[in-house]
Amino acid sequence: MNAKIESFSGNLIEFRDVSYHINDIPGRAVISGVSLAVPLGETLVLLGRSGSGKTTLLRLINALYLPSQGEVLVEGRPTAEWDVIRLRRGIGYVIQEAGLFPHFTVAENVGLVPSLEKWDRQRTTARVGELLRLVGLDPAEFADRHPRELSGGQRQRVGVARALAADPAILLMDEPFGALDPVTRTELQKEFKALAGRLQKTIVFVTHDLREALLLASRIVLLDTGRIAAVAPPQEFLRMDHPEVRAFVASLGAVPGAPV
Amino acid sequence: MNASPSYWSFFAEHRAEILGATADHMMLVVIAMLIAMAIALPLGMLIVERPALRALSMGIANIFQTIPSLALFGLLIPIPFIGGIGRRTAIVALVLYALLPILRNTYVGLSGIDPAVLEAAEAMGMTSAQILFRVRFPLALSVILAGIRTATVITIGVATIAAEIGAGGLGTFVFRGVALVSDSLILAGAMPAALLALLSDCLLGLLERRLRVA
Ligand SMILES: Nc1ncnc2c1ncn2[C@@H]1O[C@H](COP(=O)(O)OP(=O)(O)OP(=O)(O)O)[C@@H](O)[C@H]1O
Ligand SMILES: [Mg+2]
């Protein structure tokens, strides 16, 4: 899949007038009329309040959900037509609660997709070591631990390493730094920004923190009750006068000493 | 009941018989447990995603559990092929009793897994079979074992009653003892049965704790 994606020139991900209803009940739209294109190499940040539909939008990309209306294209092909197993193995996914496998060690967690893809042991071990170092965890110390022996922040780092394991072209990240103290969070955001620059991935990153969005995004998409309220690069975003945008910008000002 | 010296001498004199009955008893339990597991484990996996089948199979297993054991043996005797007097009928009854704890715990264990873990597994492109055998099953193992442990202890107890329909085992001594009003005979059956139950409870409990994750 990688080779195919690299040669793919259009939009890697595209939403075409997508709606999603829980259990296909029309009255309960969680996503309504979303159209959006994500070109190769972009870091798109989905911003929105709790319950605005951010996680749902991510799940529509890796076919955990299929659209009730419209279509989601990955690599130009609707998710409904993909072999979902192939599709998902090519998409790294960091979920909101880390979701590490409690019965696997850190190394086994990170090496899961490589093992599913039948890499040989040596290659997997080398890759796991490389990734753990990349997210700032010493393999000698952490590789053989179980998730219960990690702090929340370390778990999230492992979650990021696991998503990167098979070098997917697309990375979906659902509040990957949610459970962290502000200091570690800022550090990880900066590390991640540097990493994203180096890795050349197409990233869709979910947050409800405007500051995080401003730091990481090439474009910000603001979701409001399942609809797109605004799409703009960070600096432009700050100047928009949509009320939901203003609400988010005002929340920045509410933090003492926050740079706006 | 007083475990007087006469009991111990009785035990010593009839050692061979008692050991033989204990072996028969264990055989009965092992066969019944293997059959019950062969039915309840796959069925438990199957009902995780099928609510209708779940209600039906748990309901049926529940009914067997509520029938008193003597009554169940009695009900089975007239049934052709599986019924009659002897070991086969006893094994059928023991299997029916063992089903519910194994089935229930298999279902509870497999379905009680952190949704975030299952979502991660699905999102990483694991097939349903891979999710079942590499994620759900290992995570549910200690709960499933707890069910097997409960079923084993129940089966050891109920198997004593199986002697009533000629299945042999330690119950033979108990029933003979009741008929002859002999404490020694009753104890010769009851003590080894109790020891067997305690021992398997301990060993399986140990295994269960070793397999527990997180
Ligand atoms: N399985 C479901 N059944 C019913 N409602 C659901 C289900 N999944 C999501 N929803 C609803 O859909 C809406 C959007 O949910 P979603 O998880 O996408 O929000 P979110 O933007 O990710 O929120 P948060 O920031 O709190 O994670 C919410 O109102 C939620 O209650
Ligand atoms: Mg969410």
PDB file of all heavy atoms in Angstrom, chain B residues 3-31:
ATOM      1  N   ALA B   3     -15.011 -38.591  64.232  1.00  0.00           N
ATOM      2  CA  ALA B   3     -14.027 -39.359  63.469  1.00  0.00           C
ATOM      3  C   ALA B   3     -13.177 -40.160  64.449  1.00  0.00           C
ATOM      4  O   ALA B   3     -12.031 -39.847  64.718  1.00  0.00           O
ATOM      5  CB  ALA B   3     -13.163 -38.429  62.643  1.00  0.00           C
ATOM      6  N   SER B   4     -13.789 -41.195  64.978  1.00  0.00           N
ATOM      7  CA  SER B   4     -13.126 -41.990  66.023  1.00  0.00           C
ATOM      8  C   SER B   4     -12.043 -42.877  65.415  1.00  0.00           C
ATOM      9  O   SER B   4     -11.961 -43.033  64.201  1.00  0.00           O
ATOM     10  CB  SER B   4     -14.167 -42.855  66.729  1.00  0.00           C
ATOM     11  OG  SER B   4     -14.755 -43.688  65.751  1.00  0.00           O
ATOM     12  N   PRO B   5     -11.212 -43.459  66.256  1.00  0.00           N
ATOM     13  CA  PRO B   5     -10.171 -44.369  65.757  1.00  0.00           C
ATOM     14  C   PRO B   5     -10.737 -45.461  64.862  1.00  0.00           C
ATOM     15  O   PRO B   5     -10.085 -45.900  63.922  1.00  0.00           O
ATOM     16  CB  PRO B   5      -9.577 -44.967  67.039  1.00  0.00           C
ATOM     17  CG  PRO B   5      -9.871 -43.969  68.103  1.00  0.00           C
ATOM     18  CD  PRO B   5     -11.143 -43.286  67.709  1.00  0.00           C
ATOM     19  N   SER B   6     -12.001 -45.855  65.142  1.00  0.00           N
ATOM     20  CA  SER B   6     -12.582 -46.911  64.324  1.00  0.00           C
ATOM     21  C   SER B   6     -12.674 -46.478  62.860  1.00  0.00           C
ATOM     22  O   SER B   6     -12.550 -47.282  61.950  1.00  0.00           O
ATOM     23  CB  SER B   6     -13.957 -47.295  64.868  1.00  0.00           C
ATOM     24  OG  SER B   6     -14.911 -46.296  64.542  1.00  0.00           O
ATOM     25  N   TYR B   7     -12.887 -45.142  62.686  1.00  0.00           N
ATOM     26  CA  TYR B   7     -12.942 -44.631  61.326  1.00  0.00           C
ATOM     27  C   TYR B   7     -11.600 -44.808  60.622  1.00  0.00           C
ATOM     28  O   TYR B   7     -11.523 -45.266  59.495  1.00  0.00           O
ATOM     29  CB  TYR B   7     -13.364 -43.157  61.299  1.00  0.00           C
ATOM     30  CG  TYR B   7     -13.168 -42.551  59.928  1.00  0.00           C
ATOM     31  CD1 TYR B   7     -13.994 -42.948  58.860  1.00  0.00           C
ATOM     32  CD2 TYR B   7     -12.162 -41.650  59.674  1.00  0.00           C
ATOM     33  CE1 TYR B   7     -13.810 -42.432  57.598  1.00  0.00           C
ATOM     34  CE2 TYR B   7     -11.977 -41.128  58.412  1.00  0.00           C
ATOM     35  CZ  TYR B   7     -12.793 -41.516  57.375  1.00  0.00           C
ATOM     36  OH  TYR B   7     -12.612 -41.012  56.141  1.00  0.00           O
ATOM     37  N   TRP B   8     -10.548 -44.444  61.351  1.00  0.00           N
ATOM     38  CA  TRP B   8      -9.211 -44.525  60.730  1.00  0.00           C
ATOM     39  C   TRP B   8      -8.833 -45.967  60.405  1.00  0.00           C
ATOM     40  O   TRP B   8      -8.260 -46.238  59.355  1.00  0.00           O
ATOM     41  CB  TRP B   8      -8.146 -43.907  61.627  1.00  0.00           C
ATOM     42  CG  TRP B   8      -8.363 -42.419  61.769  1.00  0.00           C
ATOM     43  CD1 TRP B   8      -8.707 -41.749  62.901  1.00  0.00           C
ATOM     44  CD2 TRP B   8      -8.285 -41.448  60.728  1.00  0.00           C
ATOM     45  NE1 TRP B   8      -8.854 -40.422  62.638  1.00  0.00           N
ATOM     46  CE2 TRP B   8      -8.604 -40.201  61.299  1.00  0.00           C
ATOM     47  CE3 TRP B   8      -8.012 -41.516  59.371  1.00  0.00           C
ATOM     48  CZ2 TRP B   8      -8.626 -39.021  60.569  1.00  0.00           C
ATOM     49  CZ3 TRP B   8      -8.029 -40.336  58.643  1.00  0.00           C
ATOM     50  CH2 TRP B   8      -8.331 -39.103  59.234  1.00  0.00           C
ATOM     51  N   SER B   9      -9.208 -46.874  61.314  1.00  0.00           N
ATOM     52  CA  SER B   9      -8.866 -48.270  61.021  1.00  0.00           C
ATOM     53  C   SER B   9      -9.696 -48.773  59.833  1.00  0.00           C
ATOM     54  O   SER B   9      -9.208 -49.499  58.982  1.00  0.00           O
ATOM     55  CB  SER B   9      -9.074 -49.155  62.256  1.00  0.00           C
ATOM     56  OG  SER B   9     -10.408 -49.046  62.699  1.00  0.00           O
ATOM     57  N   PHE B  10     -10.958 -48.301  59.793  1.00  0.00           N
ATOM     58  CA  PHE B  10     -11.797 -48.655  58.650  1.00  0.00           C
ATOM     59  C   PHE B  10     -11.151 -48.186  57.347  1.00  0.00           C
ATOM     60  O   PHE B  10     -11.043 -48.917  56.372  1.00  0.00           O
ATOM     61  CB  PHE B  10     -13.188 -48.012  58.811  1.00  0.00           C
ATOM     62  CG  PHE B  10     -14.111 -48.282  57.661  1.00  0.00           C
ATOM     63  CD1 PHE B  10     -14.944 -49.402  57.661  1.00  0.00           C
ATOM     64  CD2 PHE B  10     -14.149 -47.434  56.563  1.00  0.00           C
ATOM     65  CE1 PHE B  10     -15.795 -49.652  56.594  1.00  0.00           C
ATOM     66  CE2 PHE B  10     -14.986 -47.690  55.485  1.00  0.00           C
ATOM     67  CZ  PHE B  10     -15.812 -48.797  55.507  1.00  0.00           C
ATOM     68  N   PHE B  11     -10.681 -46.946  57.425  1.00  0.00           N
ATOM     69  CA  PHE B  11     -10.056 -46.332  56.247  1.00  0.00           C
ATOM     70  C   PHE B  11      -8.840 -47.149  55.806  1.00  0.00           C
ATOM     71  O   PHE B  11      -8.646 -47.434  54.629  1.00  0.00           O
ATOM     72  CB  PHE B  11      -9.640 -44.897  56.577  1.00  0.00           C
ATOM     73  CG  PHE B  11      -9.400 -44.059  55.356  1.00  0.00           C
ATOM     74  CD1 PHE B  11     -10.403 -43.235  54.869  1.00  0.00           C
ATOM     75  CD2 PHE B  11      -8.180 -44.104  54.696  1.00  0.00           C
ATOM     76  CE1 PHE B  11     -10.190 -42.465  53.739  1.00  0.00           C
ATOM     77  CE2 PHE B  11      -7.966 -43.342  53.570  1.00  0.00           C
ATOM     78  CZ  PHE B  11      -8.970 -42.522  53.078  1.00  0.00           C
ATOM     79  N   ALA B  12      -8.037 -47.543  56.830  1.00  0.00           N
ATOM     80  CA  ALA B  12      -6.812 -48.298  56.522  1.00  0.00           C
ATOM     81  C   ALA B  12      -7.148 -49.652  55.888  1.00  0.00           C
ATOM     82  O   ALA B  12      -6.549 -50.064  54.897  1.00  0.00           O
ATOM     83  CB  ALA B  12      -5.989 -48.483  57.784  1.00  0.00           C
ATOM     84  N   GLU B  13      -8.153 -50.323  56.467  1.00  0.00           N
ATOM     85  CA  GLU B  13      -8.528 -51.647  55.951  1.00  0.00           C
ATOM     86  C   GLU B  13      -9.038 -51.597  54.508  1.00  0.00           C
ATOM     87  O   GLU B  13      -8.773 -52.489  53.711  1.00  0.00           O
ATOM     88  CB  GLU B  13      -9.649 -52.249  56.821  1.00  0.00           C
ATOM     89  CG  GLU B  13      -9.155 -52.932  58.073  1.00  0.00           C
ATOM     90  CD  GLU B  13     -10.310 -53.108  59.050  1.00  0.00           C
ATOM     91  OE1 GLU B  13     -11.447 -53.395  58.595  1.00  0.00           O
ATOM     92  OE2 GLU B  13     -10.089 -52.928  60.262  1.00  0.00           O
ATOM     93  N   HIS B  14      -9.801 -50.523  54.217  1.00  0.00           N
ATOM     94  CA  HIS B  14     -10.432 -50.460  52.894  1.00  0.00           C
ATOM     95  C   HIS B  14      -9.706 -49.519  51.947  1.00  0.00           C
ATOM     96  O   HIS B  14     -10.310 -48.992  51.011  1.00  0.00           O
ATOM     97  CB  HIS B  14     -11.899 -50.033  53.040  1.00  0.00           C
ATOM     98  CG  HIS B  14     -12.695 -50.997  53.845  1.00  0.00           C
ATOM     99  ND1 HIS B  14     -13.447 -52.014  53.294  1.00  0.00           N
ATOM    100  CD2 HIS B  14     -12.838 -51.123  55.194  1.00  0.00           C
ATOM    101  CE1 HIS B  14     -14.026 -52.711  54.248  1.00  0.00           C
ATOM    102  NE2 HIS B  14     -13.668 -52.193  55.412  1.00  0.00           N
ATOM    103  N   ARG B  15      -8.417 -49.293  52.214  1.00  0.00           N
ATOM    104  CA  ARG B  15      -7.655 -48.310  51.436  1.00  0.00           C
ATOM    105  C   ARG B  15      -7.786 -48.545  49.935  1.00  0.00           C
ATOM    106  O   ARG B  15      -8.077 -47.633  49.159  1.00  0.00           O
ATOM    107  CB  ARG B  15      -6.194 -48.354  51.860  1.00  0.00           C
ATOM    108  CG  ARG B  15      -5.473 -47.072  51.591  1.00  0.00           C
ATOM    109  CD  ARG B  15      -4.064 -47.154  52.106  1.00  0.00           C
ATOM    110  NE  ARG B  15      -3.450 -48.408  51.699  1.00  0.00           N
ATOM    111  CZ  ARG B  15      -2.489 -49.024  52.393  1.00  0.00           C
ATOM    112  NH1 ARG B  15      -2.054 -48.505  53.523  1.00  0.00           N
ATOM    113  NH2 ARG B  15      -1.965 -50.145  51.960  1.00  0.00           N
ATOM    114  N   ALA B  16      -7.593 -49.780  49.542  1.00  0.00           N
ATOM    115  CA  ALA B  16      -7.599 -50.076  48.101  1.00  0.00           C
ATOM    116  C   ALA B  16      -8.935 -49.712  47.465  1.00  0.00           C
ATOM    117  O   ALA B  16      -8.996 -49.070  46.419  1.00  0.00           O
ATOM    118  CB  ALA B  16      -7.299 -51.559  47.878  1.00  0.00           C
ATOM    119  N   GLU B  17     -10.032 -50.122  48.137  1.00  0.00           N
ATOM    120  CA  GLU B  17     -11.368 -49.812  47.614  1.00  0.00           C
ATOM    121  C   GLU B  17     -11.596 -48.316  47.501  1.00  0.00           C
ATOM    122  O   GLU B  17     -12.125 -47.818  46.504  1.00  0.00           O
ATOM    123  CB  GLU B  17     -12.430 -50.345  48.587  1.00  0.00           C
ATOM    124  CG  GLU B  17     -12.961 -51.716  48.286  1.00  0.00           C
ATOM    125  CD  GLU B  17     -13.921 -52.108  49.387  1.00  0.00           C
ATOM    126  OE1 GLU B  17     -15.093 -51.695  49.303  1.00  0.00           O
ATOM    127  OE2 GLU B  17     -13.473 -52.769  50.351  1.00  0.00           O
ATOM    128  N   ILE B  18     -11.177 -47.604  48.567  1.00  0.00           N
ATOM    129  CA  ILE B  18     -11.402 -46.156  48.585  1.00  0.00           C
ATOM    130  C   ILE B  18     -10.599 -45.472  47.487  1.00  0.00           C
ATOM    131  O   ILE B  18     -11.115 -44.607  46.762  1.00  0.00           O
ATOM    132  CB  ILE B  18     -11.050 -45.569  49.971  1.00  0.00           C
ATOM    133  CG1 ILE B  18     -12.039 -46.108  51.011  1.00  0.00           C
ATOM    134  CG2 ILE B  18     -11.122 -44.047  49.942  1.00  0.00           C
ATOM    135  CD1 ILE B  18     -11.688 -45.742  52.435  1.00  0.00           C
ATOM    136  N   LEU B  19      -9.363 -45.887  47.323  1.00  0.00           N
ATOM    137  CA  LEU B  19      -8.542 -45.290  46.264  1.00  0.00           C
ATOM    138  C   LEU B  19      -9.136 -45.586  44.890  1.00  0.00           C
ATOM    139  O   LEU B  19      -9.185 -44.718  44.016  1.00  0.00           O
ATOM    140  CB  LEU B  19      -7.099 -45.800  46.340  1.00  0.00           C
ATOM    141  CG  LEU B  19      -6.254 -45.173  47.456  1.00  0.00           C
ATOM    142  CD1 LEU B  19      -4.840 -45.761  47.451  1.00  0.00           C
ATOM    143  CD2 LEU B  19      -6.194 -43.649  47.307  1.00  0.00           C
ATOM    144  N   GLY B  20      -9.614 -46.791  44.736  1.00  0.00           N
ATOM    145  CA  GLY B  20     -10.240 -47.168  43.466  1.00  0.00           C
ATOM    146  C   GLY B  20     -11.450 -46.298  43.175  1.00  0.00           C
ATOM    147  O   GLY B  20     -11.614 -45.789  42.064  1.00  0.00           O
ATOM    148  N   ALA B  21     -12.268 -46.103  44.212  1.00  0.00           N
ATOM    149  CA  ALA B  21     -13.468 -45.280  44.034  1.00  0.00           C
ATOM    150  C   ALA B  21     -13.083 -43.833  43.744  1.00  0.00           C
ATOM    151  O   ALA B  21     -13.727 -43.152  42.935  1.00  0.00           O
ATOM    152  CB  ALA B  21     -14.332 -45.349  45.284  1.00  0.00           C
ATOM    153  N   THR B  22     -12.003 -43.375  44.386  1.00  0.00           N
ATOM    154  CA  THR B  22     -11.545 -42.005  44.125  1.00  0.00           C
ATOM    155  C   THR B  22     -11.123 -41.868  42.667  1.00  0.00           C
ATOM    156  O   THR B  22     -11.453 -40.876  42.004  1.00  0.00           O
ATOM    157  CB  THR B  22     -10.360 -41.652  45.052  1.00  0.00           C
ATOM    158  OG1 THR B  22     -10.726 -41.927  46.393  1.00  0.00           O
ATOM    159  CG2 THR B  22      -9.995 -40.181  44.930  1.00  0.00           C
ATOM    160  N   ALA B  23     -10.407 -42.861  42.171  1.00  0.00           N
ATOM    161  CA  ALA B  23      -9.980 -42.824  40.771  1.00  0.00           C
ATOM    162  C   ALA B  23     -11.193 -42.818  39.838  1.00  0.00           C
ATOM    163  O   ALA B  23     -11.254 -42.024  38.886  1.00  0.00           O
ATOM    164  CB  ALA B  23      -9.077 -44.009  40.459  1.00  0.00           C
ATOM    165  N   ASP B  24     -12.179 -43.686  40.134  1.00  0.00           N
ATOM    166  CA  ASP B  24     -13.415 -43.700  39.328  1.00  0.00           C
ATOM    167  C   ASP B  24     -14.086 -42.335  39.335  1.00  0.00           C
ATOM    168  O   ASP B  24     -14.539 -41.831  38.312  1.00  0.00           O
ATOM    169  CB  ASP B  24     -14.420 -44.710  39.916  1.00  0.00           C
ATOM    170  CG  ASP B  24     -14.007 -46.141  39.618  1.00  0.00           C
ATOM    171  OD1 ASP B  24     -13.056 -46.320  38.827  1.00  0.00           O
ATOM    172  OD2 ASP B  24     -14.625 -47.062  40.189  1.00  0.00           O
ATOM    173  N   HIS B  25     -14.127 -41.769  40.551  1.00  0.00           N
ATOM    174  CA  HIS B  25     -14.774 -40.468  40.734  1.00  0.00           C
ATOM    175  C   HIS B  25     -14.095 -39.405  39.871  1.00  0.00           C
ATOM    176  O   HIS B  25     -14.744 -38.643  39.163  1.00  0.00           O
ATOM    177  CB  HIS B  25     -14.674 -40.086  42.214  1.00  0.00           C
ATOM    178  CG  HIS B  25     -15.688 -39.078  42.645  1.00  0.00           C
ATOM    179  ND1 HIS B  25     -16.924 -39.437  43.134  1.00  0.00           N
ATOM    180  CD2 HIS B  25     -15.656 -37.731  42.667  1.00  0.00           C
ATOM    181  CE1 HIS B  25     -17.609 -38.350  43.422  1.00  0.00           C
ATOM    182  NE2 HIS B  25     -16.849 -37.297  43.148  1.00  0.00           N
ATOM    183  N   MET B  26     -12.753 -39.387  39.942  1.00  0.00           N
ATOM    184  CA  MET B  26     -11.995 -38.391  39.168  1.00  0.00           C
ATOM    185  C   MET B  26     -12.223 -38.596  37.678  1.00  0.00           C
ATOM    186  O   MET B  26     -12.357 -37.642  36.913  1.00  0.00           O
ATOM    187  CB  MET B  26     -10.504 -38.497  39.493  1.00  0.00           C
ATOM    188  CG  MET B  26     -10.156 -37.797  40.803  1.00  0.00           C
ATOM    189  SD  MET B  26      -8.506 -38.202  41.391  1.00  0.00           S
ATOM    190  CE  MET B  26      -7.500 -37.360  40.209  1.00  0.00           C
ATOM    191  N   MET B  27     -12.277 -39.857  37.275  1.00  0.00           N
ATOM    192  CA  MET B  27     -12.506 -40.175  35.864  1.00  0.00           C
ATOM    193  C   MET B  27     -13.829 -39.581  35.397  1.00  0.00           C
ATOM    194  O   MET B  27     -13.910 -38.951  34.342  1.00  0.00           O
ATOM    195  CB  MET B  27     -12.546 -41.712  35.749  1.00  0.00           C
ATOM    196  CG  MET B  27     -12.126 -42.246  34.415  1.00  0.00           C
ATOM    197  SD  MET B  27     -10.538 -41.551  33.930  1.00  0.00           S
ATOM    198  CE  MET B  27     -10.666 -41.854  32.189  1.00  0.00           C
ATOM    199  N   LEU B  28     -14.860 -39.795  36.222  1.00  0.00           N
ATOM    200  CA  LEU B  28     -16.197 -39.276  35.926  1.00  0.00           C
ATOM    201  C   LEU B  28     -16.145 -37.753  35.743  1.00  0.00           C
ATOM    202  O   LEU B  28     -16.679 -37.195  34.778  1.00  0.00           O
ATOM    203  CB  LEU B  28     -17.092 -39.622  37.122  1.00  0.00           C
ATOM    204  CG  LEU B  28     -18.544 -40.010  36.911  1.00  0.00           C
ATOM    205  CD1 LEU B  28     -18.654 -41.159  35.944  1.00  0.00           C
ATOM    206  CD2 LEU B  28     -19.167 -40.386  38.263  1.00  0.00           C
ATOM    207  N   VAL B  29     -15.450 -37.110  36.698  1.00  0.00           N
ATOM    208  CA  VAL B  29     -15.375 -35.643  36.686  1.00  0.00           C
ATOM    209  C   VAL B  29     -14.597 -35.160  35.465  1.00  0.00           C
ATOM    210  O   VAL B  29     -15.036 -34.237  34.761  1.00  0.00           O
ATOM    211  CB  VAL B  29     -14.714 -35.129  37.988  1.00  0.00           C
ATOM    212  CG1 VAL B  29     -14.445 -33.644  37.897  1.00  0.00           C
ATOM    213  CG2 VAL B  29     -15.600 -35.448  39.188  1.00  0.00           C
ATOM    214  N   VAL B  30     -13.464 -35.790  35.199  1.00  0.00           N
ATOM    215  CA  VAL B  30     -12.623 -35.342  34.080  1.00  0.00           C
ATOM    216  C   VAL B  30     -13.362 -35.484  32.752  1.00  0.00           C
ATOM    217  O   VAL B  30     -13.388 -34.556  31.940  1.00  0.00           O
ATOM    218  CB  VAL B  30     -11.292 -36.125  34.061  1.00  0.00           C
ATOM    219  CG1 VAL B  30     -10.545 -35.882  32.750  1.00  0.00           C
ATOM    220  CG2 VAL B  30     -10.432 -35.718  35.244  1.00  0.00           C
ATOM    221  N   ILE B  31     -14.009 -36.646  32.557  1.00  0.00           N
ATOM    222  CA  ILE B  31     -14.727 -36.847  31.293  1.00  0.00           C
ATOM    223  C   ILE B  31     -15.835 -35.801  31.145  1.00  0.00           C
ATOM    224  O   ILE B  31     -15.968 -35.148  30.110  1.00  0.00           O
ATOM    225  CB  ILE B  31     -15.333 -38.273  31.209  1.00  0.00           C
ATOM    226  CG1 ILE B  31     -14.199 -39.300  31.145  1.00  0.00           C
ATOM    227  CG2 ILE B  31     -16.241 -38.405  29.998  1.00  0.00           C
ATOM    228  CD1 ILE B  31     -14.670 -40.737  31.250  1.00  0.00           C
TER     229      ILE B  31
END
